[in-house]
Amino acid sequence: VGSRAPLADDEQPTSDLRPRVVVKNAAEICVPQPDGRGVDRLKKHALAIADGAVTWLGPESALPASESEGSEVFDAEGYAVLPALVDCHTHLVYGGDRVLDFVRRAKGMSYTEIAAEGGGIHTTVRATRSASDEDLFETAHERLLLRRAHGIATTEIKSGYGLSIKDELRMLEVIEALRHAGFDLESTLLAAHTVPKDIERDAYVGQIIDVLIPSVAERRLARFVDVFVEKGAYTLEEARRIFEAGKKHGLLSRIHADQLTAGGGAELAASIGAVSADHLEHISDQGIDDLARAHVVGTLLPGALTYLGEESQRLGRRLVDRGVEIAVATDENPGTSPTSNLPLMATLACARMGLDADEALRAITLGAAHALGRDDIGTLKVGAKGAFLLIEHADSRALVASYGEPIICDTYGF
Ligand SMILES: [Zn+2]
């Protein structure tokens, strides 16, 4: 075992474009089970990558000459190799911060009291609207670079701090510019995040349906449309109308459901065929069964739960045991989960939501990929994107056990 130092937060893993590489001397290669709940930890295996995709995976002793000839060797030095991580739920384009919200909440103030003092989500809406395009780009760019040190190669980003036609489009344009800067991003129109204060709500829902969705779809600014279904946010009926409009224009649905109250969001996700239903802290038993039957991925956000000081009643365990495929994401946003540390979220999903370590590993790789409707990432099977990370331990599960400490010592193909 060599002496690779873990990457510091501000250190850039090199972006490798070597055309052909063979990974050798791995203690194990972690491959999420396509239909199972966990991962396979393959010992004495090798991995070949050509032109950015996995071309071979098997016992190192059986590596064909056709794969190794002319390839560079990536020496894993007895460490574990895992697929690059996927974060399927973030709000990381925003202006300002919400430090004062945290300070107030830590003093015991309620959401309503914080809002009455001028805090809450509308703080971020104001700061985002008044930030320049360049500021929004630069701050999000820094957040994305930090994510590479946490092993994340693919990130979903939502709009939702614009709350007007102009500012929602502007957020999606910033995401598009970040994609052109070389990040693997998925973008989501979340115009129905909270209800704007400067327009009547029916008129705004009308704008989302009649203007935003058609123009976002036509300009291909997002693949998904999302709605925050909650008391004080949007109703089931409004959400259904927005998702139907999205469908008509080819946008896939994802939903913020049952975070604060059991509001029927999971049941709606199943009935409209959403790819993912997220949060779910107050999901009903009926909602769980509906998600399982409709093959909607349940996305757990243990960072928000923990930051807000709430309890989950072993939500992850309940979902898995009733047959729901799950993902774990950061929910990176300034108000309720200002973190990009996805491995730490996997730790919290075990400690606070009842997952086991194998399930948590799958949830930040292939489960998250499925929550984005993709099967080319979050795995190292043949044909998948050739992006992986190396951790300073022989057991893949150390990534989850490490409690957010920097254990990732190299990345490839990001
Ligand atoms: Zn969210």
Side-chain angles (χ1 to χ4, degrees):
V1 170
S3 56
R4 293 171 190 259
L7 294 173
D9 277 355
D10 58 354
E11 193 180 345
Q12 278 319 295
T14 46
S15 178
D16 256 309
L17 289 170
R18 281 173 285 174
R20 286 168 62 88
V21 69
V22 175
V23 181
K24 289 183 172 175
N25 300 324
E28 62 183 38
I29 297 179
C30 175
V31 181
Q33 298 164 346
D35 301 312
R37 297 171 168 186
V39 294
D40 293 321
R41 298 186 295 116
L42 308 170
K43 315 287 182 194
K44 296 186 174 162
H45 271 51
L47 177 74
I49 294 171
D51 297 324
V54 177
T55 54
W56 192 86
L57 171 68
E60 194 162 329
S61 57
L63 180 71
S66 57
E67 294 293 343
S68 57
E69 270 167 24
S71 292
E72 281 188 36
V73 172
F74 182 104
D75 185 354
E77 297 178 0
Y79 292 145
V81 170
L82 297 91
L85 308 184
V86 178
D87 191 357
C88 64
H89 183 140
T90 86
H91 310 249
L92 68 72
V93 172
Y94 60 84
D97 66 63
R98 300 263 288 283
V99 171
L100 289 181
D101 280 16
F102 182 84
V103 171
R104 289 163 179 148
R105 201 162 45 237
K107 280 185 190 290
M109 286 173 68
S110 71
Y111 182 84
T112 324
E113 290 167 332
I114 291 170
E117 288 208 353
I121 188 170
H122 288 284
T123 321
T124 304
V125 174
R126 283 191 298 274
T128 304
R129 284 180 176 179
S130 62
S132 67
D133 293 2
E134 293 70 28
D135 279 353
L136 289 178
F137 178 90
E138 283 304 327
T139 49
H141 192 266
E142 276 177 33
R143 291 173 196 132
L144 285 166
L145 290 179
L146 180 58
R147 290 177 155 260
R148 287 187 174 162
H150 290 310
I152 303 165
T154 306
T155 296
E156 184 262 13
I157 312 178
K158 302 171 197 298
S159 69
Y161 295 125
L163 304 184
S164 69
I165 295 173
K166 175 178 106 335
D167 287 296
E168 285 295 304
L169 288 175
R170 206 161 70 88
M171 288 190 71
L172 293 174
E173 286 159 1
V174 168
I175 299 169
E176 186 66 17
L178 291 162
R179 185 180 291 111
H180 285 293
F183 298 98
D184 184 14
L185 304 177
E186 293 286 350
S187 45
T188 299
L189 173 66
L190 177 60
H193 192 189
T194 191
V195 180
K197 290 182 160 178
D198 49 1
I199 177 173
E200 197 255 332
R201 89 182 271 145
D202 287 347
Y204 182 57
V205 172
Q207 287 184 350
I208 295 173
I209 291 171
D210 298 331
V211 183
L212 270 172
I213 286 175
S215 111
V216 163
E218 196 203 324
R219 296 176 56 194
R220 297 177 181 273
L221 283 173
R223 260 179 81 215
F224 303 97
V225 62
D226 193 339
V227 178
F228 201 119
V229 176
E230 191 62 64
K231 278 187 190 129
Y234 290 86
T235 65
L236 283 176
E237 194 40 46
E238 288 165 337
R240 186 180 289 279
R241 286 172 54 212
I242 290 168
F243 289 135
E244 297 289 347
K247 245 187 204 173
K248 215 176 83 187
H249 290 274
L251 299 181
L252 302 172
S253 308
R254 45 199 324 111
I255 182 169
H256 283 67
D258 305 322
Q259 181 183 8
L260 308 171
T261 52
E267 292 86 339
L268 174 64
S271 80
I272 52 128
V275 284
S276 174
D278 302 24
H279 276 297
L280 308 174
E281 286 86 339
H282 292 85
I283 190 171
S284 68
D285 286 345
Q286 181 64 51
I288 296 178
D289 291 341
D290 285 359
L291 292 186
R293 200 179 45 247
H295 302 290
V296 179
V297 178
T299 297
L300 306 174
L301 306 169
L305 178 95
T306 303
Y307 200 67
L308 294 172
E310 287 168 3
E311 298 298 327
S312 86
Q313 324 299 338
R314 293 173 64 78
L315 173 63
R317 188 77 266 129
R318 283 186 288 138
L319 292 176
V320 172
D321 286 349
R322 291 176 93 110
V324 179
E325 180 176 14
I326 52 164
V328 167
T330 62
D331 193 16
E332 180 170 3
N333 78 83
T336 64
S337 192
T339 182
S340 58
N341 195 330
L342 188 55
L344 175 61
M345 299 302 108
T347 310
L348 295 178
C350 295
R352 306 211 57 222
M353 291 179 153
L355 294 190
D356 70 32
D358 285 43
E359 290 163 347
L361 278 177
R362 190 186 185 282
I364 57 174
T365 52
L366 192 58
H370 289 167
L372 294 174
R374 290 179 65 171
D375 56 11
D376 62 319
I377 54 174
T379 180
L380 290 169
K381 66 171 191 197
V382 171
K385 190 175 164 191
F388 64 84
L389 53 94
L390 191 69
I391 62 169
E392 207 169 21
H393 202 285
D395 187 326
S396 313
R397 296 168 298 188
L399 182 69
V400 180
S402 68
Y403 209 4
E405 286 293 290
I407 191 175
I408 296 169
C409 54
D410 207 349
T411 63
Y412 178 90
F414 278 44

